[in-house]
Amino acid sequence: MRIAVLGAGPGGLYFAALAKQLDPAHEITIWERNAADDTFGFGVVFSDETLGGIEHADTAIYQAMSREFARWDDIDVQRLNKQGRGTTFTSGGHGFAAMSRKRLLAILQQRCAELGVELRFRTEAPDALTLAATHDLVVAADGANSATRTKYHSTFGPTIEKRRCRYMWLGTDLVLNAFKFWVLDTPPGIMQVHGYPYSRDASTVILEMHEDVWRRGGGDDLLPED
């Protein structure tokens, strides 16, 4: 079987690795317009249940990932008032792990290469319909806003509902000791922050708020002018 995969994110790479293991005779090619080490975001989180599925499906991938994990069982929830005082509630026994998205991609790329999957980076994929003429299966793994999903919008039938919320996704060299969830009662309004470690020397932090709070807090002043 000839298989074309559009997009070398975690989904496209993992699919290709598993499909190649099911039948080494499959000819699998992945197209990715970005470079191999380009990525967007910081950490990726996995539950223990998800990791069990990965270990069962491909032990080699799981073992390579497990060497990179930052693990935690506790979730700390804290509400802070305008004076910075509050109470922390800790919930334990959750079983999660996180790792760098960049390292995850490197592990999956290496596994695909070992199995004989052809990886084409910095290469725009042909149109899905063009690929369908020469391949038995075309997998669109090129993101929620991809050209493929847009072109076949009526077939996929997605439902999109826009809400009024702003967020910032940040990285820090402060290594958190648990998954942290803060509810901040600030002068502009309520802001929510959650963060978690994803390596031995880094964490990721996401700040979220309603658009009204964003504007009252001067968020628009942070954005570059058009």
Side-chain angles (χ1 to χ4, degrees):
M1 177 180 288
R2 300 193 71 207
I3 301 174
V5 180
L6 312 183
L13 291 167
Y14 189 52
F15 165 82
L18 296 186
K20 190 69 172 175
Q21 288 179 82
L22 287 174
D23 188 344
H26 289 329
E27 296 179 24
I28 305 176
T29 304
I30 301 177
W31 281 265
E32 172 56 56
R33 64 182 180 180
N34 294 311
D37 58 352
D38 285 346
T39 188
F40 306 94
F42 298 96
V44 182
V45 178
F46 304 91
S47 68
D48 280 351
E49 183 177 1
T50 299
L51 291 175
I54 293 173
E55 183 178 19
H56 177 74
D58 190 320
T59 303
I61 288 177
Y62 173 79
Q63 290 178 345
M65 291 172 58
S66 64
R67 291 191 286 269
E68 309 280 341
F69 285 152
R71 289 186 175 272
W72 67 85
D73 292 314
D74 292 343
I75 296 178
D76 292 342
V77 182
Q78 185 176 39
R79 174 155 186 160
L80 300 176
N81 60 26
K82 292 181 177 66
Q83 289 73 43
R85 294 189 293 271
T87 303
T88 301
F89 301 90
T90 299
S91 175
H94 295 281
F96 281 90
M99 66 180 297
S100 161
R101 178 180 170 88
K102 192 168 186 176
R103 285 295 303 136
L104 175 62
L105 289 174
I107 288 169
L108 293 173
Q109 290 168 14
Q110 181 178 352
R111 183 60 171 152
C112 283
E114 291 171 351
L115 293 167
V117 174
E118 182 178 353
L119 299 163
R120 298 183 181 180
F121 291 102
R122 295 187 181 276
T123 305
E124 289 284 350
D127 178 78
L129 191 60
T130 300
L131 288 171
T134 55
H135 291 76
D136 302 293
L137 177 65
V138 179
V139 178
D142 49 348
N145 294 317
S146 73
T148 307
R149 299 187 192 198
T150 299
K151 181 173 182 177
Y152 299 101
H153 179 276
S154 59
T155 300
F156 292 122
T159 300
I160 300 174
E161 182 179 349
K162 293 184 178 181
R163 297 295 184 96
R164 295 174 61 81
C165 184
R166 297 291 188 104
Y167 75 94
M168 289 184 285
W169 192 359
L170 309 169
T172 174
D173 58 6
L174 173 66
V175 181
L176 301 173
N177 60 2
F179 185 99
K180 303 286 188 179
F181 189 87
W182 294 278
V183 181
L184 312 174
D185 188 0
T186 72
I190 298 295
M191 299 182 185
Q192 300 178 69
V193 180
H194 69 271
Y196 54 87
Y198 67 84
S199 73
R200 297 179 183 89
D201 53 11
S203 299
T204 187
V205 177
I206 297 91
L207 171 64
E208 301 174 86
M209 69 199 76
H210 191 275
E211 182 151 343
D212 292 344
V213 178
W214 168 271
R215 294 185 184 281
R216 287 195 296 269
D220 286 344
D221 296 335
L222 302 174
L223 301 177
E225 296 183 2
D226 295 336

PDB file of all heavy atoms in Angstrom, residues 187-220:
ATOM      1  N   PRO A 187      -6.810  43.620  39.628  1.00  0.00           N
ATOM      2  CA  PRO A 187      -7.626  44.835  39.421  1.00  0.00           C
ATOM      3  C   PRO A 187      -8.399  44.847  38.111  1.00  0.00           C
ATOM      4  O   PRO A 187      -9.572  45.244  38.087  1.00  0.00           O
ATOM      5  CB  PRO A 187      -6.578  45.954  39.496  1.00  0.00           C
ATOM      6  CG  PRO A 187      -5.543  45.419  40.437  1.00  0.00           C
ATOM      7  CD  PRO A 187      -5.451  43.953  40.121  1.00  0.00           C
ATOM      8  N   PRO A 188      -7.832  44.375  36.977  1.00  0.00           N
ATOM      9  CA  PRO A 188      -8.627  44.345  35.737  1.00  0.00           C
ATOM     10  C   PRO A 188      -9.703  43.270  35.729  1.00  0.00           C
ATOM     11  O   PRO A 188     -10.662  43.354  34.960  1.00  0.00           O
ATOM     12  CB  PRO A 188      -7.578  44.070  34.650  1.00  0.00           C
ATOM     13  CG  PRO A 188      -6.273  44.433  35.262  1.00  0.00           C
ATOM     14  CD  PRO A 188      -6.406  44.113  36.706  1.00  0.00           C
ATOM     15  N   GLY A 189      -9.554  42.230  36.569  1.00  0.00           N
ATOM     16  CA  GLY A 189     -10.521  41.133  36.587  1.00  0.00           C
ATOM     17  C   GLY A 189      -9.838  39.796  36.806  1.00  0.00           C
ATOM     18  O   GLY A 189      -8.627  39.731  37.071  1.00  0.00           O
ATOM     19  N   ILE A 190     -10.618  38.716  36.711  1.00  0.00           N
ATOM     20  CA  ILE A 190     -10.094  37.381  36.982  1.00  0.00           C
ATOM     21  C   ILE A 190      -9.195  36.899  35.836  1.00  0.00           C
ATOM     22  O   ILE A 190      -9.578  36.940  34.675  1.00  0.00           O
ATOM     23  CB  ILE A 190     -11.246  36.371  37.183  1.00  0.00           C
ATOM     24  CG1 ILE A 190     -12.084  36.764  38.400  1.00  0.00           C
ATOM     25  CG2 ILE A 190     -10.699  34.953  37.341  1.00  0.00           C
ATOM     26  CD1 ILE A 190     -11.324  36.678  39.710  1.00  0.00           C
ATOM     27  N   MET A 191      -7.998  36.442  36.202  1.00  0.00           N
ATOM     28  CA  MET A 191      -7.088  35.804  35.266  1.00  0.00           C
ATOM     29  C   MET A 191      -6.790  34.395  35.776  1.00  0.00           C
ATOM     30  O   MET A 191      -6.763  34.160  36.982  1.00  0.00           O
ATOM     31  CB  MET A 191      -5.782  36.592  35.135  1.00  0.00           C
ATOM     32  CG  MET A 191      -5.940  38.001  34.618  1.00  0.00           C
ATOM     33  SD  MET A 191      -4.321  38.833  34.434  1.00  0.00           S
ATOM     34  CE  MET A 191      -4.875  40.491  33.951  1.00  0.00           C
ATOM     35  N   GLN A 192      -6.593  33.468  34.863  1.00  0.00           N
ATOM     36  CA  GLN A 192      -6.292  32.087  35.234  1.00  0.00           C
ATOM     37  C   GLN A 192      -4.962  31.681  34.614  1.00  0.00           C
ATOM     38  O   GLN A 192      -4.681  32.002  33.460  1.00  0.00           O
ATOM     39  CB  GLN A 192      -7.391  31.145  34.752  1.00  0.00           C
ATOM     40  CG  GLN A 192      -8.757  31.468  35.347  1.00  0.00           C
ATOM     41  CD  GLN A 192      -9.834  30.558  34.811  1.00  0.00           C
ATOM     42  OE1 GLN A 192      -9.858  29.364  35.097  1.00  0.00           O
ATOM     43  NE2 GLN A 192     -10.732  31.106  34.019  1.00  0.00           N
ATOM     44  N   VAL A 193      -4.173  30.990  35.409  1.00  0.00           N
ATOM     45  CA  VAL A 193      -2.857  30.544  34.964  1.00  0.00           C
ATOM     46  C   VAL A 193      -2.724  29.061  35.275  1.00  0.00           C
ATOM     47  O   VAL A 193      -3.108  28.619  36.364  1.00  0.00           O
ATOM     48  CB  VAL A 193      -1.725  31.308  35.677  1.00  0.00           C
ATOM     49  CG1 VAL A 193      -0.361  30.829  35.182  1.00  0.00           C
ATOM     50  CG2 VAL A 193      -1.877  32.815  35.478  1.00  0.00           C
ATOM     51  N   HIS A 194      -2.226  28.288  34.325  1.00  0.00           N
ATOM     52  CA  HIS A 194      -1.815  26.933  34.668  1.00  0.00           C
ATOM     53  C   HIS A 194      -0.443  26.674  34.068  1.00  0.00           C
ATOM     54  O   HIS A 194      -0.078  27.207  33.025  1.00  0.00           O
ATOM     55  CB  HIS A 194      -2.841  25.874  34.234  1.00  0.00           C
ATOM     56  CG  HIS A 194      -2.977  25.672  32.761  1.00  0.00           C
ATOM     57  ND1 HIS A 194      -3.858  26.386  31.984  1.00  0.00           N
ATOM     58  CD2 HIS A 194      -2.350  24.804  31.923  1.00  0.00           C
ATOM     59  CE1 HIS A 194      -3.786  25.980  30.728  1.00  0.00           C
ATOM     60  NE2 HIS A 194      -2.871  25.018  30.657  1.00  0.00           N
ATOM     61  N   GLY A 195       0.325  25.893  34.803  1.00  0.00           N
ATOM     62  CA  GLY A 195       1.692  25.619  34.380  1.00  0.00           C
ATOM     63  C   GLY A 195       2.136  24.253  34.860  1.00  0.00           C
ATOM     64  O   GLY A 195       1.575  23.690  35.804  1.00  0.00           O
ATOM     65  N   TYR A 196       3.163  23.712  34.197  1.00  0.00           N
ATOM     66  CA  TYR A 196       3.667  22.389  34.562  1.00  0.00           C
ATOM     67  C   TYR A 196       5.092  22.241  34.035  1.00  0.00           C
ATOM     68  O   TYR A 196       5.476  22.882  33.052  1.00  0.00           O
ATOM     69  CB  TYR A 196       2.779  21.285  33.983  1.00  0.00           C
ATOM     70  CG  TYR A 196       2.568  21.383  32.493  1.00  0.00           C
ATOM     71  CD1 TYR A 196       3.477  20.804  31.602  1.00  0.00           C
ATOM     72  CD2 TYR A 196       1.474  22.056  31.960  1.00  0.00           C
ATOM     73  CE1 TYR A 196       3.294  20.893  30.234  1.00  0.00           C
ATOM     74  CE2 TYR A 196       1.281  22.152  30.590  1.00  0.00           C
ATOM     75  CZ  TYR A 196       2.199  21.564  29.734  1.00  0.00           C
ATOM     76  OH  TYR A 196       2.016  21.665  28.382  1.00  0.00           O
ATOM     77  N   PRO A 197       5.903  21.405  34.681  1.00  0.00           N
ATOM     78  CA  PRO A 197       7.256  21.143  34.171  1.00  0.00           C
ATOM     79  C   PRO A 197       7.189  20.213  32.969  1.00  0.00           C
ATOM     80  O   PRO A 197       6.337  19.329  32.903  1.00  0.00           O
ATOM     81  CB  PRO A 197       7.943  20.461  35.360  1.00  0.00           C
ATOM     82  CG  PRO A 197       6.826  19.762  36.069  1.00  0.00           C
ATOM     83  CD  PRO A 197       5.612  20.651  35.907  1.00  0.00           C
ATOM     84  N   TYR A 198       8.090  20.424  32.008  1.00  0.00           N
ATOM     85  CA  TYR A 198       8.135  19.492  30.878  1.00  0.00           C
ATOM     86  C   TYR A 198       9.542  18.971  30.603  1.00  0.00           C
ATOM     87  O   TYR A 198       9.739  18.205  29.650  1.00  0.00           O
ATOM     88  CB  TYR A 198       7.541  20.122  29.617  1.00  0.00           C
ATOM     89  CG  TYR A 198       8.308  21.277  29.012  1.00  0.00           C
ATOM     90  CD1 TYR A 198       9.377  21.051  28.154  1.00  0.00           C
ATOM     91  CD2 TYR A 198       7.959  22.593  29.273  1.00  0.00           C
ATOM     92  CE1 TYR A 198      10.077  22.097  27.581  1.00  0.00           C
ATOM     93  CE2 TYR A 198       8.649  23.655  28.707  1.00  0.00           C
ATOM     94  CZ  TYR A 198       9.708  23.391  27.862  1.00  0.00           C
ATOM     95  OH  TYR A 198      10.407  24.444  27.296  1.00  0.00           O
ATOM     96  N   SER A 199      10.494  19.349  31.435  1.00  0.00           N
ATOM     97  CA  SER A 199      11.841  18.797  31.352  1.00  0.00           C
ATOM     98  C   SER A 199      12.534  19.055  32.685  1.00  0.00           C
ATOM     99  O   SER A 199      11.945  19.613  33.605  1.00  0.00           O
ATOM    100  CB  SER A 199      12.638  19.440  30.201  1.00  0.00           C
ATOM    101  OG  SER A 199      13.000  20.759  30.521  1.00  0.00           O
ATOM    102  N   ARG A 200      13.792  18.664  32.772  1.00  0.00           N
ATOM    103  CA  ARG A 200      14.533  18.860  34.020  1.00  0.00           C
ATOM    104  C   ARG A 200      14.843  20.321  34.282  1.00  0.00           C
ATOM    105  O   ARG A 200      15.187  20.702  35.402  1.00  0.00           O
ATOM    106  CB  ARG A 200      15.842  18.062  33.978  1.00  0.00           C
ATOM    107  CG  ARG A 200      15.656  16.552  33.872  1.00  0.00           C
ATOM    108  CD  ARG A 200      16.993  15.841  33.823  1.00  0.00           C
ATOM    109  NE  ARG A 200      16.826  14.400  33.639  1.00  0.00           N
ATOM    110  CZ  ARG A 200      16.745  13.806  32.466  1.00  0.00           C
ATOM    111  NH1 ARG A 200      16.804  14.537  31.358  1.00  0.00           N
ATOM    112  NH2 ARG A 200      16.602  12.499  32.374  1.00  0.00           N
ATOM    113  N   ASP A 201      14.739  21.167  33.247  1.00  0.00           N
ATOM    114  CA  ASP A 201      15.144  22.559  33.433  1.00  0.00           C
ATOM    115  C   ASP A 201      14.163  23.572  32.855  1.00  0.00           C
ATOM    116  O   ASP A 201      14.526  24.728  32.648  1.00  0.00           O
ATOM    117  CB  ASP A 201      16.532  22.785  32.812  1.00  0.00           C
ATOM    118  CG  ASP A 201      16.603  22.328  31.353  1.00  0.00           C
ATOM    119  OD1 ASP A 201      15.543  22.038  30.766  1.00  0.00           O
ATOM    120  OD2 ASP A 201      17.717  22.268  30.813  1.00  0.00           O
ATOM    121  N   ALA A 202      12.921  23.167  32.617  1.00  0.00           N
ATOM    122  CA  ALA A 202      11.969  24.109  32.028  1.00  0.00           C
ATOM    123  C   ALA A 202      10.527  23.737  32.358  1.00  0.00           C
ATOM    124  O   ALA A 202      10.208  22.574  32.610  1.00  0.00           O
ATOM    125  CB  ALA A 202      12.149  24.181  30.506  1.00  0.00           C
ATOM    126  N   SER A 203       9.681  24.756  32.350  1.00  0.00           N
ATOM    127  CA  SER A 203       8.234  24.579  32.529  1.00  0.00           C
ATOM    128  C   SER A 203       7.528  25.429  31.488  1.00  0.00           C
ATOM    129  O   SER A 203       8.125  26.306  30.852  1.00  0.00           O
ATOM    130  CB  SER A 203       7.789  25.020  33.932  1.00  0.00           C
ATOM    131  OG  SER A 203       8.409  24.264  34.943  1.00  0.00           O
ATOM    132  N   THR A 204       6.260  25.162  31.306  1.00  0.00           N
ATOM    133  CA  THR A 204       5.433  25.993  30.444  1.00  0.00           C
ATOM    134  C   THR A 204       4.299  26.570  31.266  1.00  0.00           C
ATOM    135  O   THR A 204       3.806  25.935  32.210  1.00  0.00           O
ATOM    136  CB  THR A 204       4.881  25.195  29.239  1.00  0.00           C
ATOM    137  OG1 THR A 204       4.219  26.079  28.335  1.00  0.00           O
ATOM    138  CG2 THR A 204       3.921  24.117  29.676  1.00  0.00           C
ATOM    139  N   VAL A 205       3.911  27.797  30.938  1.00  0.00           N
ATOM    140  CA  VAL A 205       2.886  28.522  31.691  1.00  0.00           C
ATOM    141  C   VAL A 205       1.906  29.142  30.697  1.00  0.00           C
ATOM    142  O   VAL A 205       2.333  29.784  29.727  1.00  0.00           O
ATOM    143  CB  VAL A 205       3.505  29.620  32.572  1.00  0.00           C
ATOM    144  CG1 VAL A 205       2.416  30.417  33.284  1.00  0.00           C
ATOM    145  CG2 VAL A 205       4.462  29.016  33.588  1.00  0.00           C
ATOM    146  N   ILE A 206       0.626  28.958  30.930  1.00  0.00           N
ATOM    147  CA  ILE A 206      -0.417  29.514  30.054  1.00  0.00           C
ATOM    148  C   ILE A 206      -1.276  30.465  30.864  1.00  0.00           C
ATOM    149  O   ILE A 206      -1.830  30.083  31.904  1.00  0.00           O
ATOM    150  CB  ILE A 206      -1.284  28.404  29.430  1.00  0.00           C
ATOM    151  CG1 ILE A 206      -0.446  27.504  28.524  1.00  0.00           C
ATOM    152  CG2 ILE A 206      -2.428  29.013  28.621  1.00  0.00           C
ATOM    153  CD1 ILE A 206       0.160  26.309  29.204  1.00  0.00           C
ATOM    154  N   LEU A 207      -1.390  31.690  30.415  1.00  0.00           N
ATOM    155  CA  LEU A 207      -2.203  32.719  31.061  1.00  0.00           C
ATOM    156  C   LEU A 207      -3.451  32.956  30.218  1.00  0.00           C
ATOM    157  O   LEU A 207      -3.347  33.193  29.015  1.00  0.00           O
ATOM    158  CB  LEU A 207      -1.400  34.016  31.194  1.00  0.00           C
ATOM    159  CG  LEU A 207      -2.151  35.265  31.656  1.00  0.00           C
ATOM    160  CD1 LEU A 207      -2.671  35.089  33.078  1.00  0.00           C
ATOM    161  CD2 LEU A 207      -1.247  36.496  31.565  1.00  0.00           C
ATOM    162  N   GLU A 208      -4.631  32.896  30.858  1.00  0.00           N
ATOM    163  CA  GLU A 208      -5.898  33.041  30.144  1.00  0.00           C
ATOM    164  C   GLU A 208      -6.786  34.063  30.840  1.00  0.00           C
ATOM    165  O   GLU A 208      -6.747  34.200  32.065  1.00  0.00           O
ATOM    166  CB  GLU A 208      -6.641  31.701  30.093  1.00  0.00           C
ATOM    167  CG  GLU A 208      -5.861  30.595  29.422  1.00  0.00           C
ATOM    168  CD  GLU A 208      -6.572  29.263  29.519  1.00  0.00           C
ATOM    169  OE1 GLU A 208      -7.428  28.993  28.652  1.00  0.00           O
ATOM    170  OE2 GLU A 208      -6.284  28.517  30.463  1.00  0.00           O
ATOM    171  N   MET A 209      -7.607  34.743  30.047  1.00  0.00           N
ATOM    172  CA  MET A 209      -8.549  35.714  30.611  1.00  0.00           C
ATOM    173  C   MET A 209      -9.608  36.064  29.559  1.00  0.00           C
ATOM    174  O   MET A 209      -9.401  35.860  28.358  1.00  0.00           O
ATOM    175  CB  MET A 209      -7.804  36.986  31.039  1.00  0.00           C
ATOM    176  CG  MET A 209      -7.253  37.815  29.891  1.00  0.00           C
ATOM    177  SD  MET A 209      -5.962  38.954  30.396  1.00  0.00           S
ATOM    178  CE  MET A 209      -4.572  37.820  30.598  1.00  0.00           C
ATOM    179  N   HIS A 210     -10.731  36.604  30.020  1.00  0.00           N
ATOM    180  CA  HIS A 210     -11.759  37.101  29.107  1.00  0.00           C
ATOM    181  C   HIS A 210     -11.213  38.330  28.393  1.00  0.00           C
ATOM    182  O   HIS A 210     -10.371  39.056  28.919  1.00  0.00           O
ATOM    183  CB  HIS A 210     -13.025  37.448  29.894  1.00  0.00           C
ATOM    184  CG  HIS A 210     -14.213  37.705  29.022  1.00  0.00           C
ATOM    185  ND1 HIS A 210     -14.461  38.933  28.457  1.00  0.00           N
ATOM    186  CD2 HIS A 210     -15.217  36.884  28.611  1.00  0.00           C
ATOM    187  CE1 HIS A 210     -15.579  38.867  27.747  1.00  0.00           C
ATOM    188  NE2 HIS A 210     -16.051  37.627  27.820  1.00  0.00           N
ATOM    189  N   GLU A 211     -11.710  38.586  27.197  1.00  0.00           N
ATOM    190  CA  GLU A 211     -11.202  39.718  26.419  1.00  0.00           C
ATOM    191  C   GLU A 211     -11.398  41.048  27.139  1.00  0.00           C
ATOM    192  O   GLU A 211     -10.551  41.945  27.022  1.00  0.00           O
ATOM    193  CB  GLU A 211     -11.866  39.766  25.044  1.00  0.00           C
ATOM    194  CG  GLU A 211     -11.336  40.885  24.183  1.00  0.00           C
ATOM    195  CD  GLU A 211     -11.404  40.598  22.700  1.00  0.00           C
ATOM    196  OE1 GLU A 211     -11.559  39.430  22.328  1.00  0.00           O
ATOM    197  OE2 GLU A 211     -11.292  41.553  21.935  1.00  0.00           O
ATOM    198  N   ASP A 212     -12.478  41.202  27.882  1.00  0.00           N
ATOM    199  CA  ASP A 212     -12.685  42.446  28.628  1.00  0.00           C
ATOM    200  C   ASP A 212     -11.569  42.669  29.646  1.00  0.00           C
ATOM    201  O   ASP A 212     -11.110  43.801  29.851  1.00  0.00           O
ATOM    202  CB  ASP A 212     -14.039  42.422  29.345  1.00  0.00           C
ATOM    203  CG  ASP A 212     -15.210  42.466  28.376  1.00  0.00           C
ATOM    204  OD1 ASP A 212     -14.978  42.816  27.195  1.00  0.00           O
ATOM    205  OD2 ASP A 212     -16.339  42.148  28.785  1.00  0.00           O
ATOM    206  N   VAL A 213     -11.134  41.588  30.292  1.00  0.00           N
ATOM    207  CA  VAL A 213     -10.044  41.691  31.270  1.00  0.00           C
ATOM    208  C   VAL A 213      -8.743  42.029  30.553  1.00  0.00           C
ATOM    209  O   VAL A 213      -7.944  42.847  31.025  1.00  0.00           O
ATOM    210  CB  VAL A 213      -9.908  40.370  32.060  1.00  0.00           C
ATOM    211  CG1 VAL A 213      -8.755  40.449  33.051  1.00  0.00           C
ATOM    212  CG2 VAL A 213     -11.210  40.055  32.781  1.00  0.00           C
ATOM    213  N   TRP A 214      -8.537  41.405  29.410  1.00  0.00           N
ATOM    214  CA  TRP A 214      -7.355  41.688  28.592  1.00  0.00           C
ATOM    215  C   TRP A 214      -7.264  43.178  28.260  1.00  0.00           C
ATOM    216  O   TRP A 214      -6.200  43.793  28.408  1.00  0.00           O
ATOM    217  CB  TRP A 214      -7.417  40.854  27.318  1.00  0.00           C
ATOM    218  CG  TRP A 214      -6.442  41.217  26.237  1.00  0.00           C
ATOM    219  CD1 TRP A 214      -6.618  42.124  25.240  1.00  0.00           C
ATOM    220  CD2 TRP A 214      -5.129  40.667  26.037  1.00  0.00           C
ATOM    221  NE1 TRP A 214      -5.524  42.179  24.427  1.00  0.00           N
ATOM    222  CE2 TRP A 214      -4.589  41.303  24.895  1.00  0.00           C
ATOM    223  CE3 TRP A 214      -4.376  39.709  26.705  1.00  0.00           C
ATOM    224  CZ2 TRP A 214      -3.320  40.999  24.404  1.00  0.00           C
ATOM    225  CZ3 TRP A 214      -3.103  39.410  26.211  1.00  0.00           C
ATOM    226  CH2 TRP A 214      -2.599  40.051  25.078  1.00  0.00           C
ATOM    227  N   ARG A 215      -8.371  43.748  27.831  1.00  0.00           N
ATOM    228  CA  ARG A 215      -8.363  45.162  27.435  1.00  0.00           C
ATOM    229  C   ARG A 215      -8.167  46.073  28.636  1.00  0.00           C
ATOM    230  O   ARG A 215      -7.406  47.044  28.583  1.00  0.00           O
ATOM    231  CB  ARG A 215      -9.656  45.501  26.701  1.00  0.00           C
ATOM    232  CG  ARG A 215      -9.798  44.795  25.355  1.00  0.00           C
ATOM    233  CD  ARG A 215     -11.031  45.242  24.598  1.00  0.00           C
ATOM    234  NE  ARG A 215     -11.191  44.496  23.357  1.00  0.00           N
ATOM    235  CZ  ARG A 215     -10.514  44.750  22.232  1.00  0.00           C
ATOM    236  NH1 ARG A 215      -9.630  45.736  22.217  1.00  0.00           N
ATOM    237  NH2 ARG A 215     -10.715  44.022  21.161  1.00  0.00           N
ATOM    238  N   ARG A 216      -8.862  45.783  29.749  1.00  0.00           N
ATOM    239  CA  ARG A 216      -8.702  46.619  30.941  1.00  0.00           C
ATOM    240  C   ARG A 216      -7.274  46.544  31.496  1.00  0.00           C
ATOM    241  O   ARG A 216      -6.780  47.493  32.091  1.00  0.00           O
ATOM    242  CB  ARG A 216      -9.690  46.193  32.022  1.00  0.00           C
ATOM    243  CG  ARG A 216     -11.133  46.586  31.733  1.00  0.00           C
ATOM    244  CD  ARG A 216     -11.995  46.482  32.982  1.00  0.00           C
ATOM    245  NE  ARG A 216     -12.095  45.111  33.475  1.00  0.00           N
ATOM    246  CZ  ARG A 216     -13.050  44.261  33.104  1.00  0.00           C
ATOM    247  NH1 ARG A 216     -13.978  44.633  32.228  1.00  0.00           N
ATOM    248  NH2 ARG A 216     -13.105  43.036  33.614  1.00  0.00           N
ATOM    249  N   GLY A 217      -6.616  45.412  31.285  1.00  0.00           N
ATOM    250  CA  GLY A 217      -5.255  45.253  31.765  1.00  0.00           C
ATOM    251  C   GLY A 217      -4.189  45.789  30.810  1.00  0.00           C
ATOM    252  O   GLY A 217      -2.997  45.669  31.084  1.00  0.00           O
ATOM    253  N   GLY A 218      -4.621  46.373  29.694  1.00  0.00           N
ATOM    254  CA  GLY A 218      -3.664  46.951  28.744  1.00  0.00           C
ATOM    255  C   GLY A 218      -3.039  45.937  27.810  1.00  0.00           C
ATOM    256  O   GLY A 218      -1.972  46.176  27.253  1.00  0.00           O
ATOM    257  N   GLY A 219      -3.708  44.805  27.602  1.00  0.00           N
ATOM    258  CA  GLY A 219      -3.151  43.773  26.749  1.00  0.00           C
ATOM    259  C   GLY A 219      -2.918  44.236  25.319  1.00  0.00           C
ATOM    260  O   GLY A 219      -1.924  43.829  24.696  1.00  0.00           O
ATOM    261  N   ASP A 220      -3.824  45.078  24.802  1.00  0.00           N
ATOM    262  CA  ASP A 220      -3.642  45.541  23.412  1.00  0.00           C
ATOM    263  C   ASP A 220      -2.371  46.336  23.221  1.00  0.00           C
ATOM    264  O   ASP A 220      -1.819  46.401  22.112  1.00  0.00           O
ATOM    265  CB  ASP A 220      -4.861  46.386  22.995  1.00  0.00           C
ATOM    266  CG  ASP A 220      -6.084  45.550  22.729  1.00  0.00           C
ATOM    267  OD1 ASP A 220      -5.943  44.320  22.573  1.00  0.00           O
ATOM    268  OD2 ASP A 220      -7.209  46.102  22.684  1.00  0.00           O
TER     269      ASP A 220
END
